[in-house]
Amino acid sequence: MSDPIFVTRPFLPPLADYVALLEQIWESRILTNGGPFHQSLEQRLAEYLDAPEVSLTTNGALALEIAIDAAALSGEVITTPYSFVATTHSIKRGNLRPVFVDISPDDFNIDPDAVERAITPATSAIVGVHCYGNPCAVDAIEAIAKRHGLRVIYDAAHAFGVRLNGRSVFQWGDMSTLSFHATKSYNTFEGGAIVNATAQAKQGVERAKNFGIASEDAIPLVGTNGKMSELNAALGHLQLDHYEEVRALRQRVDERYRAHLNGIAGIHVPPIPRGVTANYSYFPILVLPEFAIDRDQLYDRLKQAGIVSRKYFYPLLSNLPMYDSLPSAVPENLPIANQIVNQVLCLPIYPGLSDDDVDRIAEFITHAHNPVRVRA
Ligand SMILES: *Cc1c(COP(=O)(O)O)cnc(C)c1O
């Protein structure tokens, strides 16, 4: 049997290129605290992402916590139950109350009508997630936020390099956060960033990520340590050099899957929404009731065949023990999210996943559906 195919495999630049940068770090002995690689990567990412002001962080989870902290929110925060657990945890860890609203079945993102219905006098912000890189209904959310005086923070961990109608997704919201974890389409081993709409907001974030220190003799905030080291920032430069290559390799996998899987009864392949420049970070499919087997059975059979897919996202965050007693967590409030968590499966996608492997995975799914093969 061949080696297992994992859901992702991180891209790495040539080691010699990294060693050359390590030599510079050894030479300068500047290891962290906003060193030259950190400074220049913030600049480069701001340009590359068309993002107003970038602050690098240790990881995506701290980016969220620091953004929420710097935004000085209070009371309730409207958010999605359909995300990675860090999204809701960051709200809870900021001593705020998450209020879950349902998602749209088209893009898996918070439904703006549901957001508006959930607003109370205690609401201070909306935390949306650009799920699988599909931009949220950014214009509708902006209009709602303006009408009600709310802040908007996007968890853009999936949305590196994503554009909507030619415009960077980082042009919307008061802040957006990124993750550069090993599993993401742009990685610095561990790492993250906050995109701030203004230079003033960036200043607040810089303090919050550096213990709340404003100057040598002034510490006005209860901050944390969320700085990115020079090791990660140096790697980030090399990863950025290769990003368009990585995106093109992922796109190739995405298109090959679609050619195989579109049209299989019971398998829904969500199209890339119109106007979106995608990054092909994930390849989610929905296993519908009319398919021969259910999602969990397909997951198990793929695994037995050495193909590791991922129930991403599962379980639904509103069903976790620390959130399930919130009034907004009742399944009747979140019917679409509760349905999709039981149907979704993310298939392996990464630069270098071979055409043969994509064909084998698609073939396997096609046969799982084929009644002749299933009977045999
Ligand atoms: C990966 C991810 C995070 C957390 O990022 P880390 O860098 O792993 O801390 C947060 N939100 C979403 C949606 C993610 O996918």
Side-chain angles (χ1 to χ4, degrees):
M1 214 177 104
S2 46
D3 288 340
I5 303 171
F6 293 104
V7 71
T8 191
R9 189 164 177 267
F11 176 86
L12 288 171
L15 181 58
D17 293 353
Y18 192 46
V19 171
L21 299 188
L22 291 179
E23 281 167 0
Q24 290 182 38
I25 294 173
W26 257 246
E27 185 72 29
S28 73
R29 295 200 182 236
I30 301 172
L31 311 185
T32 184
N33 285 15
F37 285 114
H38 183 289
Q39 300 269 342
S40 51
L41 185 60
E42 284 188 344
Q43 290 298 326
R44 266 187 86 189
L45 285 172
E47 276 164 38
Y48 182 78
L49 298 173
D50 220 340
E53 299 280 343
V54 174
S55 304
L56 294 174
T57 62
T58 317
N59 57 51
L62 268 174
L64 275 165
E65 289 191 22
I66 292 165
I68 284 168
D69 190 23
L73 307 179
S74 62
E76 298 175 354
V77 174
I78 296 173
T79 191
T80 174
Y82 191 73
S83 182
F84 182 61
V85 67
T87 311
T88 318
H89 277 2
S90 66
I91 295 169
K92 180 89 174 161
R93 288 170 65 81
N95 295 315
L96 300 160
R97 190 147 16 100
V99 174
F100 295 114
V101 296
D102 209 2
I103 57 172
S104 152
D106 302 324
D107 58 14
F108 311 102
N109 290 326
I110 41 171
D111 170 357
D113 294 331
V115 169
E116 191 145 34
R117 284 196 300 272
I119 294 170
T120 74
T123 309
S124 62
I126 301 165
V127 172
V129 178
H130 300 308
C131 190
Y132 308 130
N134 296 333
C136 285
V138 285
D139 288 325
I141 290 170
E142 186 172 286
I144 292 166
K146 273 214 181 100
R147 260 199 306 280
H148 298 271
L150 308 177
R151 311 299 299 276
V152 178
I153 298 174
Y154 287 114
D155 178 344
H158 297 180
F160 190 93
V162 168
R163 290 180 167 265
L164 177 59
N165 300 320
R167 194 172 153 199
S168 164
V169 280
F170 299 101
Q171 298 282 330
W172 281 275
D174 295 292
M175 286 187 263
S176 302
T177 64
L178 281 156
S179 165
F180 306 152
H181 183 256
T183 55
K184 304 300 203 275
S185 72
Y186 171 83
N187 87 77
T188 59
F189 288 8
E190 291 270 3
I194 299 166
V195 174
N196 308 278
T198 64
Q200 199 194 345
K202 173 170 159 120
Q203 203 177 45
V205 160
E206 289 298 319
R207 272 180 205 177
K209 86 178 201 199
N210 188 32
F211 309 100
I213 297 172
S215 69
E216 256 181 69
D217 33 37
I219 307 174
L221 275 176
V222 183
T224 186
N225 180 0
K227 294 176 268 103
M228 178 183 276
S229 85
E230 289 291 276
L231 287 177
N232 305 94
L235 184 70
H237 276 278
L238 299 178
Q239 297 287 39
L240 199 51
D241 293 341
H242 291 278
Y243 190 71
E244 283 310 322
E245 215 179 292
V246 166
R247 190 198 315 242
L249 288 165
R250 287 176 169 279
Q251 181 174 5
R252 182 189 172 90
V253 173
D254 180 287
E255 287 170 357
R256 203 169 177 93
Y257 271 133
R258 283 177 198 280
H260 281 293
L261 296 176
N262 269 329
I264 295 185
I267 296 289
H268 176 62
V269 183
I272 292 165
R274 206 172 318 144
V276 172
T277 308
N279 63 14
Y280 312 98
S281 281
Y282 301 93
F283 197 85
I285 60 170
L286 299 183
V287 183
L288 304 178
E290 57 264 38
F291 195 64
I293 53 178
D294 68 21
R295 189 275 311 272
D296 288 348
Q297 290 169 318
L298 181 58
Y299 170 86
D300 289 339
R301 287 198 197 173
L302 282 166
K303 201 168 171 183
Q304 283 157 15
I307 300 160
V308 185
S309 61
R310 192 168 169 206
K311 298 176 201 178
Y312 193 65
F313 301 103
Y314 177 88
L316 197 64
L317 302 179
S318 50
N319 296 334
L320 296 180
M322 67 296 268
Y323 303 121
D324 66 359
S325 59
L326 290 168
S328 64
V330 294
E332 299 74 54
N333 185 44
L334 310 165
I336 295 169
N338 274 283
Q339 181 184 315
I340 286 175
V341 278
N342 291 316
Q343 295 180 337
V344 73
L345 203 58
C346 284
L347 301 182
I349 185 166
Y350 51 83
L353 182 64
S354 72
D355 288 352
D356 282 354
D357 283 341
V358 174
D359 295 349
R360 178 155 83 86
I361 296 164
E363 190 88 336
F364 189 90
I365 294 169
T366 309
H367 285 157
H369 159 263
N370 185 332
V372 177
R373 281 291 287 259
V374 168
R375 255 188 269 123

